[in-house]
Amino acid sequence: MLVVMSHRATPEEIDAVVAAIEGKGYTARPIPGGERVAIGVLHNKGAVDATHFSGLPGVKDVIPVTRPYKLVSREFQPQDTVVHVGDTAIGNGHMTLIAGPCAVESEEQCLTIARKVKDAGAQLFRGGAFKPRTSPYSFQGLGAEGLKILETVRKETGMPVVTEALDTDNFGLVEEYADVIQIGARNMQNFSLLRRAGRSPRPIIVKRGMAATIDEWLMAAEYVLEGGNTRVMLCERGVRTFAHHSRNTLDLSAVAAVCKESHLPVIVDPSHAAGRRDQVIPLSRAAIAVGAHGLLVEVHHKPEEALSDGAQSLYPEQFQVLCREIRAIFNAFKPVDPV
Ligand code: PEP
Ligand code: MN
């Protein structure tokens, strides 16, 4: 339930409504808006009786929230969230490019790629230090050494860095080095990890699980917001289907649906969706046309030597082409806030 205050409501009236909500054993979450404050009612077990609050001074309206997720929904916050990372704004009318190798392999590899993707127009650098691999025999990432390399990339290029936290054990360490922390597809329903992300001061990317419904994906993001961290981005990276022509199937209708349902920025990872280089540029074009706020793209200067995901990594020259093409599409369509 959402208690919408009148635009003339005083701070004392708002405090009194918060106290009334908490007095009933619920959690009150004030959400400042452009013109007025709304107060979300959380942690209610069953339906909340609107008459408890509708007559209080300063209350304009009491609206039931129909969705299972609350904080991520447009019912709670109609206007788009914009997440700021350094000088980069992500969401609502901005288009953000995050690019880099699947895995951090060496300082030279990362610096080479970072300089190339920055020149092409990427604002953020990506690279995994802790890698979630299907096989325990595959390269697992450089771990803490990889994080130090990412720190060097930030220092040398000025680009903020995005990297994955695989578990709660290494979350604190990743937090020390990363500008943005990624929760990977395989961890989308790792609830202790999501709760830890909710207590983090860093922005979080919540990737969609490869078999997750939109409700489950939004509920995963809800965990992070519920913990107090509102700087959350969603990332569609393909779901598993019967298709064999690609590693996964990029679900662009989910992007359209989620942009309507949630105020959070939605980015698309065409690389893990495609699994092969030749599909990455076409899928990127489509993602921007459908209204994604940005892309997360794997790029490698020597993909044939990459320690992971070489087949889907673009050559830097291809990434340049991608940047040029999607900027033209973005400027032609200028995604509008669906509200
Ligand atoms: C990645 O971004 O490198 C990654 C492992 O992605 P996903 O969790 O989507 O598979
Ligand atoms: Mn990868």
Side-chain angles (χ1 to χ4, degrees):
M1 179 170 292
L2 203 55
V3 181
V4 181
M5 302 300 292
S6 146
H7 66 276
R8 282 194 297 271
T10 63
E12 292 73 30
E13 287 170 342
I14 294 170
D15 289 348
V17 173
V18 168
I21 293 169
E22 302 209 320
K24 293 272 171 224
Y26 311 134
T27 302
R29 185 69 64 89
I31 306 162
E35 275 185 22
R36 53 171 56 93
V37 170
I39 306 167
V41 180
L42 301 175
H43 295 142
N44 51 301
K45 297 267 163 8
V48 179
D49 184 349
T51 59
H52 291 320
F53 313 114
S54 52
L56 295 176
V59 172
K60 177 173 177 286
D61 215 351
V62 178
I63 305 171
V65 173
T66 57
R67 305 294 197 267
Y69 36 83
K70 299 171 192 288
L71 298 169
V72 305
S73 78
R74 286 200 187 267
E75 287 181 328
F76 258 56
Q77 180 187 309
Q79 73 278 15
D80 276 14
T81 285
V82 177
V83 176
H84 295 272
V85 183
D87 297 337
T88 302
I90 307 161
N92 196 24
H94 302 276
M95 194 197 50
T96 308
L97 291 165
I98 307 170
C102 179
V104 173
E105 297 168 10
S106 71
E107 187 175 301
E108 194 212 340
Q109 171 241 18
C110 278
L111 282 174
T112 305
I113 299 170
R115 291 191 175 113
K116 286 180 188 290
V117 296
K118 186 181 180 186
D119 280 353
Q123 294 102 324
L124 274 68
F125 181 75
R126 66 146 287 153
F130 294 92
K131 292 304 305 174
R133 302 306 300 278
T134 302
S135 164
Y137 307 116
S138 301
F139 176 59
Q140 304 287 305
L142 295 180
E145 190 194 334
L147 295 176
K148 294 207 175 88
I149 293 173
L150 290 173
E151 187 175 45
T152 306
V153 169
R154 184 200 302 110
K155 231 188 273 158
E156 294 286 318
T157 67
M159 296 174 94
V161 297
V162 181
T163 197
E164 178 163 352
L166 261 194
D167 48 50
T168 50
D169 293 348
N170 66 31
F171 201 99
L173 185 65
V174 172
E175 204 169 55
E176 282 176 37
Y177 290 88
D179 295 288
V180 177
I181 298 177
Q182 174 173 315
I183 297 199
R186 291 155 190 82
N187 263 324
M188 190 206 82
Q189 285 189 316
N190 180 338
F191 299 113
S192 41
L193 191 63
L194 294 168
R195 285 206 186 280
R196 177 63 184 81
R199 296 196 299 274
S200 178
R202 302 274 174 265
I204 307 291
I205 292 176
V206 179
K207 284 192 139 190
R208 182 182 182 188
M210 59 187 86
T213 64
I214 286 176
D215 278 12
E216 288 164 342
W217 184 20
L218 289 173
M219 282 300 205
E222 184 82 12
Y223 266 87
V224 185
L225 272 83
E226 198 271 338
N229 188 354
T230 54
R231 299 166 76 203
V232 175
M233 293 158 267
L234 298 163
C235 179
E236 159 62 33
R237 46 78 73 204
V239 290
R240 183 162 286 182
T241 67
F242 46 82
H244 293 297
H245 59 275
S246 55
R247 181 174 175 182
N248 292 290
T249 297
L250 184 61
D251 186 1
L252 287 181
S253 65
V255 174
V258 164
C259 284
K260 204 165 161 201
E261 210 45 44
S262 175
H263 52 83
L264 298 175
V266 182
I267 57 179
V268 164
D269 170 353
S271 307
H272 291 87
R276 38 187 291 177
R277 185 175 307 124
D278 62 337
Q279 294 176 2
V280 171
I281 292 180
L283 292 178
S284 298
R285 293 190 205 113
I288 294 304
V290 96
H293 299 106
L295 299 174
L296 178 76
V297 185
E298 287 186 343
V299 179
H300 202 292
H301 64 311
K302 288 182 187 162
E304 50 295 324
E305 291 173 23
L307 296 180
S308 67
D309 286 346
Q312 66 197 32
S313 299
L314 293 184
Y315 288 95
E317 304 71 47
Q318 291 179 300
F319 182 68
Q320 266 179 3
V321 173
L322 179 151
C323 289
R324 209 173 41 238
E325 292 188 357
I326 60 154
R327 285 212 186 280
I329 293 169
F330 180 77
N331 290 332
F333 285 99
K334 276 270 185 238
V336 281
D337 192 333
V339 167

